[in-house]
Amino acid sequence: MSRRLLAITLCLPALASAQVASTGDYLSRMDGDGDGKISLPEYQDWLSYAFDAMDANRDGVLDASEQPARAHGAGPSVTREQHRRTLAERFAKQDRNRDGSLDARELAAPPQ
C-alpha cells in the first residue's frame, strides 16, 4: 500500500508546478493566510487536489478503479487520511529548519 501512496504523492509536485511559473508564485498560491510561509494544513490542502480529482465517487478513498493504471495492476485503496499522513511526512522532510512551516527555499527543495 505504501508504494501506491508514494507514487500518488510523488506525482503531485509535478502536477502542481505545472500551474505556476516560479517558486514564489507557487508559495503565494499555497499560502492561504498570506503570511509568506506554508503551514502543514496549507501544504496538505493544496497537494490534495489530485486526490480529490481522482476520487470520482467522493467517498474519501481512492479504490483501484480510481487510481492511475500501473503495469502491475491496480493497487490497494488509499484513504484521504493515509494521503495526508504521507504529505505530512514529506512536509517534515522539507522543513529543514524545523520551524513548522515552509519558506520559498524549503518549498523549492526536494524532500530529503
Side-chain angles (χ1 to χ4, degrees):
M1 172 172 56
S2 62
R3 282 187 181 170
R4 171 68 71 193
L5 190 55
L6 180 60
I8 293 168
T9 301
L10 291 177
C11 77
L12 295 176
L15 295 172
S17 65
Q19 300 175 357
V20 296
S22 69
T23 301
D25 188 28
Y26 194 42
L27 186 138
S28 68
R29 289 178 186 229
M30 290 177 75
D31 186 13
D33 61 8
D35 66 356
K37 51 192 173 181
I38 307 304
S39 67
L40 176 58
E42 288 171 329
Y43 185 85
Q44 290 170 315
D45 291 347
W46 177 265
L47 292 176
S48 290
Y49 76 90
F51 183 102
D52 295 337
M54 288 186 287
D55 186 12
N57 63 3
R58 305 289 180 236
D59 67 352
V61 177
L62 296 181
D63 62 35
S65 69
E66 295 170 318
Q67 295 178 31
R70 297 283 189 243
H72 300 290
S77 296
V78 177
T79 67
R80 179 177 305 287
E81 291 81 23
Q82 290 168 320
H83 175 70
R84 290 181 73 87
R85 276 195 303 270
T86 299
L87 291 174
E89 291 167 7
R90 184 165 14 122
F91 179 93
K93 290 177 183 177
Q94 283 185 263
D95 184 14
R96 302 244 169 87
N97 64 4
R98 304 291 180 237
D99 68 350
S101 63
L102 300 180
D103 59 25
R105 183 182 307 164
E106 291 168 321
L107 189 60
Q112 296 290 323

